């Protein structure tokens, strides 16, 4: 540890669910695990938030809300989404994220109340990190951390507001893979 | 007070009104969020009013749109199981089976049962939460059985 306090990096999780009850539950579960949480009610809203829907619109949006959905400022470390949703399903959302050059490395977890092996396999095959059966419990949310830590170790640290770097980045990062916010001090 | 609360909770579990998921939710309560479960349940009963109405209307159609009904019930079952409403969930499952079998009478009959369980649970939980508020912060080690 390079002397002093290690900053507790708060992972930011985007949760997507059309059920108001399940949104409340997943939000509480994630907050209990000290994640920063954004909850949206549909796949469309999720795509909008992630900037995959309409780039021009989201960049010129000037909200008086405290949350400015400016693509450049949003850092999402994980997406957890319900499978069965009207409109864009969780599966559709998964596909879109994995097809995006910018977002494809964000771990995506699918939730579903139905235990359908073919559905589960399909999601995993298309890049979902994990699949939770509803109702979601604390033990499920506890499984998320390794996925997040792994992404972090892969050298995604520049996605965070990195004030305290714990160690120098050893691997060479290809510039277009990561959203580089600091053009300097990637090395301790 | 705490003992009374624990007894009531045990009873709700023994009689099959609630399942493990309810405990999962209680475990998420802390000083900053002492009434989380009550909030969830309140939200559930408020939000499901519309759904109950939709189902009732759909059950009056002739012939029944089983696919639509199944869709409604999927939602109902989902939110009911999210907080551990065991009996309600069971009725939802039964209802969906009747939908799949195209059994209109079965659906209507089951829905009446479902509404009964739904209403009974509401009353019981109202008492439970009132008691919980009076009893103050509950120790988390209060697991039934």
């Amino acid at each position: 540890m390079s002397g002093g306090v290690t900053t507790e990096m708060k992972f930011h999780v985007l949760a997507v669910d059309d059920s108001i009850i399940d949104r409340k539950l997943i939000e509480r579960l994630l907050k209990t695990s000290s994640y920063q949480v954004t909850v949206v009610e549909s796949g469309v809203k999720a795509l909008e938030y992630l900037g995959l829907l309409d780039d021009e619109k989201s960049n010129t949006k000037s909200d008086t809300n405290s949350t400015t959905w400016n693509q450049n400022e949003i850092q999402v470390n994980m997406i957890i989404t319900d499978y069965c949703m009207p409109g864009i399903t969780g599966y559709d959302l998964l596909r879109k994220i994995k097809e995006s050059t910018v977002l494809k490395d964000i771990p995506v977890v699918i939730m579903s109340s139905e235990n359908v092996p073919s559905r589960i396999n399909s999601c995993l095959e298309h890049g979902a990190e994990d699949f939770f059966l509803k109702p979601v419990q604390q033990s499920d949310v506890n499984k998320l951390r390794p996925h997040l830590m792994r992404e972090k170790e892969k050298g995604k640290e520049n996605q965070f507001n990195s004030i305290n770097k714990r160690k120098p980045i050893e691997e060479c990062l290809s510039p277009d893979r990561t959203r580089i916010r600091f053009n300097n001090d990637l090395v301790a | 007070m705490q003992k009374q609360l624990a007894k009531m909770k045990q009873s709700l579990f023994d009689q099959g009104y609630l399942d493990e998921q309810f405990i999962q939710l209680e475990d998420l309560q802390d000083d900053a969020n002492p009434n989380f479960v009550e909030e969830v349940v309140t939200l559930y009963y408020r939000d499901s009013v519309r759904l109950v109405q939709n189902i009732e209307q759909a059950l009056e159609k002739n012939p029944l749109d089983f696919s639509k009904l199944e869709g409604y019930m999927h939602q109902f079952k989902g939110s009911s199981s999210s907080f551990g409403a065991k009996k309600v969930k069971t009725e939802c499952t039964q209802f969906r089976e009747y939908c799949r079998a195209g059994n209109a009478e079965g659906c209507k009959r089951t829905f009446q049962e479902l509404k009964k369980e739904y209403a009974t649970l509401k009353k019981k939980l109202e008492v439970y939460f009132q008691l919980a508020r009076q009893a103050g912060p509950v120790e988390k080690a209060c697991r039934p059985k």
Side-chain angles (χ1 to χ4, degrees), chain B residues 7-126:
Chain B
K7 263 183 88 176
M8 189 180 177
K9 182 153 75 174
Q10 186 66 59
S11 159
L12 287 169
F13 274 81
D14 289 343
Q15 291 175 61
Y17 286 104
L18 297 173
D19 64 32
E20 165 70 18
Q21 186 64 14
F22 192 83
I23 302 290
Q24 287 280 329
L25 262 60
E26 282 198 325
D27 284 350
L28 295 174
Q29 292 184 152
D30 57 20
D31 292 336
N33 301 271
N35 304 307
F36 176 69
V37 192
E38 188 179 357
E39 286 166 20
V40 172
V41 175
T42 304
L43 188 60
Y44 167 81
Y45 278 102
R46 194 165 57 218
D47 188 61
S48 52
V49 170
R50 178 192 39 91
L51 195 51
V52 171
Q53 284 170 357
N54 287 344
I55 296 169
E56 257 162 356
Q57 282 169 16
L59 284 173
E60 279 163 22
K61 297 227 155 55
N62 196 5
L64 294 187
D65 183 345
F66 289 110
S67 167
K68 195 176 199 177
L69 283 166
E70 220 195 312
Y72 286 141
M73 206 41 74
H74 173 85
Q75 286 180 55
F76 212 136
K77 186 182 171 188
S79 46
S80 305
S81 68
S82 285
F83 76 94
K86 194 173 178 183
K87 289 196 184 200
V88 177
K89 184 171 92 164
T90 303
E91 296 301 331
C92 291
T93 304
Q94 184 65 72
F95 187 101
R96 288 181 85 192
E97 274 168 30
Y98 282 129
C99 280
R100 285 177 197 145
N103 185 337
E105 274 318 300
C107 283
K108 290 177 186 175
R109 209 171 45 236
T110 306
F111 192 59
Q112 294 311 311
E113 279 308 306
L114 194 159
K115 281 196 291 182
K116 265 196 226 150
E117 295 299 347
Y118 171 82
T120 302
L121 181 63
K122 186 178 188 197
K123 288 207 200 84
K124 287 187 183 285
L125 286 176
E126 270 166 9

Side-chain angles (χ1 to χ4, degrees), chain A:
Chain A
M1 311 277 171
S2 53
V5 179
T6 314
T7 306
E8 189 73 51
M9 306 282 203
K10 263 213 168 182
F11 293 112
H12 180 197
V13 182
L14 174 66
V16 192
D17 203 313
D18 62 317
S19 159
I20 193 170
I21 303 295
D22 288 344
R23 281 202 298 280
K24 191 167 172 76
L25 176 58
I26 194 69
E27 184 183 39
R28 185 80 201 108
L29 280 167
L30 291 168
K31 282 188 172 166
T32 300
S33 297
S34 301
Y35 297 126
Q36 186 195 336
V37 189
T38 300
V39 193
V40 295
E41 64 192 15
S42 70
V44 173
K45 289 257 159 76
L47 290 174
E48 212 170 51
Y49 186 81
L50 294 164
L52 284 182
L53 204 54
D54 191 334
D55 271 4
E56 292 86 50
K57 229 196 234 174
S58 60
N59 280 338
T60 56
K61 197 190 269 197
S62 51
D63 282 328
T64 45
N65 288 350
S66 51
T67 318
T68 316
W69 287 8
N70 185 332
Q71 235 279 284
N72 294 325
E73 288 175 19
I74 289 177
Q75 296 169 339
V76 171
N77 306 116
M78 170 168 280
I79 296 155
I80 178 164
T81 178
D82 189 22
Y83 185 93
C84 283
M85 296 188 293
I88 295 178
T89 66
Y91 178 78
D92 298 328
L93 187 58
L94 167 69
R95 298 300 302 270
K96 289 211 191 297
I97 290 162
K98 293 302 168 187
E99 281 161 17
S100 154
T101 39
V102 179
L103 303 175
K104 65 179 167 59
D105 291 319
I106 300 179
V108 180
V109 172
I110 310 284
M111 305 179 280
S112 178
S113 54
E114 323 247 77
N115 190 350
V116 182
S118 57
R119 173 185 296 183
I120 298 172
N121 286 333
S122 182
C123 287
L124 294 173
E125 270 166 30
H126 286 102
E129 217 64 42
D130 214 330
F131 193 102
F132 294 164
L133 278 180
K134 284 180 161 186
V136 182
Q137 302 185 336
Q138 190 64 63
S139 55
D140 296 311
V141 175
N142 292 344
K143 288 195 259 176
L144 296 177
R145 198 161 283 270
H147 297 308
L148 287 158
M149 293 308 294
R150 191 175 56 240
E151 282 308 309
K152 193 179 161 197
E153 289 304 308
K154 269 193 212 166
K156 300 279 170 201
E157 279 151 327
N158 55 356
Q159 276 191 10
F160 293 83
N161 204 353
S162 46
I163 299 163
N164 288 347
K165 298 222 69 87
R166 296 169 78 181
K167 61 181 178 190
I169 295 180
E170 281 143 345
E171 27 186 56
C172 182
L173 301 166
S174 48
D176 56 339
R177 272 188 87 229
T178 54
R179 215 178 308 148
I180 298 176
R181 295 182 73 235
F182 302 101
N183 54 10
N184 56 357
D185 61 69
L186 289 180
V187 182

